[in-house]
Amino acid sequence: MNKKWIGTAMAAVFMGSVLVGCGSSNEASGQGDNSPQELHLTMGDDLPTSDIALATDQYSFNILSNTMEGFVRLDKDGKAVPGMASSWEISPDGKTYTFHLRDAKWSNGDPVTAGDFVYSWKRTLDPKTASQYAFMLKTVKGANEYNTGKGSADEVGIQAKDDKTVVVTLNNPTPYFLNQMAFPTFFPLDQKFVESKGKDFGTSVETSLSNGPFKISDWVHETSVNIAKNDTYWDAKTVKLSKVSFDVVKDTSAAVNMYEAGQIDRVGLVRDFIDQYKDRKDEYSVQNELTNGYLIFNPAVKGLENSKIRTALTWAVDRDMYADIIYHNGTKGATGFVPDGTSDSAGGEFRKTAGDTLTKHTDAEVKQMLEDGLKEAGMTANDLKLKLLVDDSDVAKKAGEFLKEQWRTKLGVNVDIENVPFKLRLEREKKQDYTISVTLWGADYNDPMTFLDMFVTKNEFNSVSYSNPEYDKLINSAKVTADPKQRAQELVEAEKLLMKDMPIGPIFFRGKAFATKPYVKDLVAFPFGVDYELKNTYIEGK
């Protein structure tokens, strides 16, 4: 994507961006209003890290996107606008990007230089860092080779031509590359600061650093995170908020009570709360997003190595009922793995191009699939010793109970539930210390690849150890083909193969509903990547 949006894929989805509390140009100045410029929000769990190389979750990415800045930011229309880079050029073949940096400083006063980007990207790619998100950088020439120990850091296609110029060389033209530059994995790091903090970097206020609109000002693990306006930010004059607080609240009812009491200014809504707020036109909003929820199966657990058993467990879930009972907020039952609204990269929508690759089945068909799988595995239903790993939030607990009951009544399979904190679930999935887990994936960019390349053999997020040479071939071909229609078809065939082998079991395509106080202005919510942009947000009329 260049400044005129290469490809039609991006433009369509950003139409779904939501501008909460949009004010007039005069209102946006914030003049003539004495409302305190403080915004109060919640997080569903503890902030795991502020280290961009180790971040893998939405909580971390939301904090990082507002406390740090890459070459570009996204405006309210989702278009890439200058960030640390004041301008850039793209070569005619679409493989070389030259970014020109503006004068900018870190929150400790150090200048932001081209070398900070080079250091950050190579640190993420360094095998010793063990960054799960290093795969995002592998469109860069030499990045995959360095990350897998087959090449050197010097061969990675990012160079500091001078202190203000960064040249990036890609393996192939990548239409969404410029858009990705707004994602935290691509942000710079101050080498001197990072190395001075060692293993503690990104774990506290004292070991975190900012070059964005805000900086972390307070961090009490398991309780709250606060960010404050960063006065050293190059565009600090635009930032109106003086403080944003995030309280860790895992229970939806508790969060709604806080909202009603005026303790927080925005709250996510599910189930009965939708009906309670949907008529409050000045507060209620629905946000489309490219996020799916799915089961992951550990093939090292007896029975789960069998695709028919995995398929039966997936088919047994009434996905529409799950979406309505657990969320009731615009969330839909999954009809494949890639969510509704995702581009197919050829000018269309992936789900319309692919059709339903996950269909509904009768209880008899589901039961027969399980029996066939058990026979192949030399087992009975009583031999299946299954545990379901889910978060300890109220929504996750209800989801766990729903799945347990579906499997008991439709398959005669009993499952024990393990409720654990969000951070611990992520760690256990990474270590493959689970039997079955409920997990979610939100698109980092608007393309099916952000979902499908997770399951290439030995991908960092392939926590189900899926390996199919035919699948790998389809994904790898789609990464290099210049024909958008061929690419789209290869991605469709890849999803069909994924649904045939069923290493994962799609359940829902998530939607979001919110209540936001009317005095919150210009909070921009995005359907993919990070959740929201707070740089231009302000309070008026409180």
Side-chain angles (χ1 to χ4, degrees):
M1 175 182 69
N2 63 17
K3 284 183 278 188
K4 293 185 179 179
W5 297 77
I6 293 177
T8 59
M10 301 295 181
V13 75
F14 273 127
M15 302 280 292
S17 298
V18 178
L19 183 61
V20 176
C22 180
S24 69
S25 58
N26 289 332
E27 289 174 332
S29 68
Q31 296 177 355
D33 191 288
N34 294 320
S35 299
Q37 294 302 307
E38 296 185 1
L39 180 65
H40 303 280
L41 304 173
T42 64
M43 299 174 64
D45 215 308
D46 188 29
L47 174 66
T49 183
S50 69
D51 183 344
I52 60 174
L54 301 182
T56 64
D57 63 282
Q58 206 70 3
Y59 305 132
S60 298
F61 291 141
N62 285 335
I63 295 295
L64 287 166
S65 66
N66 285 287
T67 59
M68 297 185 70
E69 185 169 280
F71 292 127
V72 304
R73 297 190 76 82
L74 300 180
D75 67 8
K76 64 182 179 64
D77 298 315
K79 294 182 179 180
V81 296
M84 287 291 102
S86 57
S87 63
W88 54 85
E89 296 97 35
I90 306 173
S91 63
D93 65 1
K95 294 168 66 173
T96 302
Y97 288 68
T98 303
F99 296 96
H100 303 283
L101 303 186
R102 66 176 76 252
D103 291 331
K105 292 182 179 180
W106 291 97
S107 52
N108 66 355
D110 288 348
V112 178
T113 68
D116 294 338
F117 283 89
V118 176
Y119 167 72
S120 176
W121 291 21
K122 291 185 178 182
R123 175 178 178 267
T124 296
L125 289 168
D126 188 337
K128 295 179 182 178
T129 304
S131 169
Q132 283 188 279
Y133 254 72
F135 76 93
M136 290 279 283
L137 288 158
K138 291 184 179 179
T139 53
V140 177
K141 186 177 180 180
N144 183 60
E145 289 78 4
Y146 176 46
N147 185 242
T148 55
K150 300 175 182 177
S152 69
D154 292 339
E155 296 171 314
V156 177
I158 179 170
Q159 294 179 314
K161 191 173 180 180
D162 53 49
D163 281 349
K164 296 294 184 182
T165 310
V166 182
V167 180
V168 178
T169 305
L170 307 183
N171 292 309
N172 303 282
T174 306
Y176 49 80
F177 180 74
L178 187 59
N179 185 72
Q180 283 185 312
M181 296 302 97
F183 195 77
T185 304
F186 297 90
F187 291 174
L189 288 174
D190 184 335
Q191 182 174 0
K192 182 176 66 175
F193 181 87
V194 173
E195 293 181 348
S196 72
K197 303 305 178 184
K199 293 183 179 180
D200 292 330
F201 173 65
T203 61
S204 66
V205 174
E206 295 75 21
T207 62
S208 300
L209 195 63
S210 170
N211 72 323
F214 301 91
K215 60 183 178 181
I216 298 178
S217 57
D218 186 66
W219 185 355
V220 181
H221 283 284
E222 306 292 342
T223 301
S224 64
V225 177
N226 294 337
I227 61 177
K229 180 177 178 178
N230 177 16
D231 291 331
T232 65
Y233 178 54
W234 70 270
D235 197 23
K237 66 181 185 299
T238 299
V239 181
K240 301 297 189 300
L241 292 174
S242 60
K243 175 185 176 181
V244 185
S245 62
F246 300 85
D247 290 321
V248 175
V249 182
K250 299 183 180 183
D251 182 79
T252 304
S253 296
V256 170
N257 289 338
M258 293 174 69
Y259 180 83
E260 287 295 321
Q263 295 173 297
I264 59 175
D265 302 316
R266 180 170 164 88
V267 64
L269 304 172
V270 295
R271 300 186 303 275
D272 296 343
F273 295 115
I274 300 296
D275 297 328
Q276 179 179 331
Y277 282 90
K278 66 183 181 182
D279 293 329
R280 299 191 192 181
K281 302 303 182 183
D282 59 341
E283 297 180 58
Y284 181 74
S285 65
V286 176
Q287 176 188 335
N288 296 322
E289 63 170 355
L290 306 187
T291 296
N292 60 12
Y294 55 101
L295 304 167
I296 55 174
F297 303 105
N298 188 341
V301 174
K302 185 171 176 56
L304 296 183
E305 80 283 359
N306 184 278
S307 65
K308 291 181 179 178
I309 294 176
R310 299 192 300 265
T311 298
L313 290 166
T314 301
W315 284 2
V317 180
D318 187 322
R319 300 184 296 277
D320 292 333
M321 185 184 294
Y322 180 106
D324 187 54
I325 290 177
I326 306 304
Y327 289 99
H328 188 59
N329 66 349
T331 295
K332 301 177 181 178
T335 55
F337 186 64
V338 178
D340 288 340
T342 307
S343 162
D344 68 357
S345 79
E349 186 179 325
F350 183 86
R351 284 267 54 91
K352 293 179 180 178
T353 301
D356 294 350
T357 58
L358 179 61
T359 56
K360 296 180 180 180
H361 298 269
T362 65
D363 289 350
E365 290 172 330
V366 173
K367 187 71 174 177
Q368 187 61 55
M369 180 63 71
L370 177 66
E371 291 176 358
D372 291 346
L374 290 171
K375 184 176 180 180
E376 287 182 359
M379 302 173 65
T380 67
N382 290 332
D383 294 328
L384 283 175
K385 306 298 182 183
L386 303 180
K387 292 182 179 180
L388 179 65
L389 183 68
V390 292
D391 294 345
D392 58 359
S393 68
D394 66 317
V395 173
K397 289 177 179 178
K398 291 180 184 296
E401 292 297 334
F402 181 91
L403 293 169
K404 177 184 176 75
E405 186 64 10
Q406 291 273 288
W407 291 330
R408 185 188 69 80
T409 57
K410 295 184 180 180
L411 297 176
V413 173
N414 293 313
V415 178
D416 294 327
I417 298 176
E418 296 181 276
N419 294 112
V420 300
F422 170 76
K423 184 177 180 180
L424 180 56
R425 176 177 63 80
L426 295 182
E427 292 173 354
R428 287 185 57 177
E429 288 177 357
K430 182 179 179 180
K431 296 176 183 177
Q432 292 192 318
D433 179 20
Y434 71 93
T435 302
I436 305 174
S437 184
V438 180
T439 193
L440 293 89
W441 187 264
D444 299 321
Y445 50 96
N446 183 26
D447 191 272
M449 192 65 77
T450 191
F451 296 99
L452 296 173
D453 72 351
M454 283 195 292
F455 300 105
V456 170
T457 302
K458 295 185 178 180
N459 180 279
E460 292 83 350
F461 286 92
N462 188 352
S463 54
V464 295
S465 298
Y466 180 60
S467 181
N468 185 322
E470 184 180 352
Y471 186 86
D472 293 352
K473 182 179 179 181
L474 286 166
I475 296 298
N476 291 331
S477 177
K479 286 184 176 181
V480 300
T481 183
D483 184 338
K485 290 186 177 180
Q486 178 185 333
R487 181 179 188 273
Q489 190 55 43
E490 287 171 339
L491 293 172
V492 167
E493 293 304 316
E495 189 193 62
K496 288 180 178 178
L497 188 56
L498 195 68
M499 293 298 90
K500 177 177 178 290
D501 292 343
M502 206 69 81
I504 47 90
I507 307 175
F508 60 89
F509 299 151
R510 194 175 71 176
K512 283 185 176 180
F514 293 93
T516 307
K517 298 294 186 181
Y519 52 73
V520 177
K521 309 294 183 181
D522 288 4
L523 186 156
V524 181
F526 295 114
F528 62 86
V530 298
D531 283 342
Y532 41 73
E533 165 68 73
L534 301 176
K535 176 180 174 177
N536 295 291
T537 306
Y538 62 100
I539 306 297
E540 184 175 80
K542 183 174 181 180

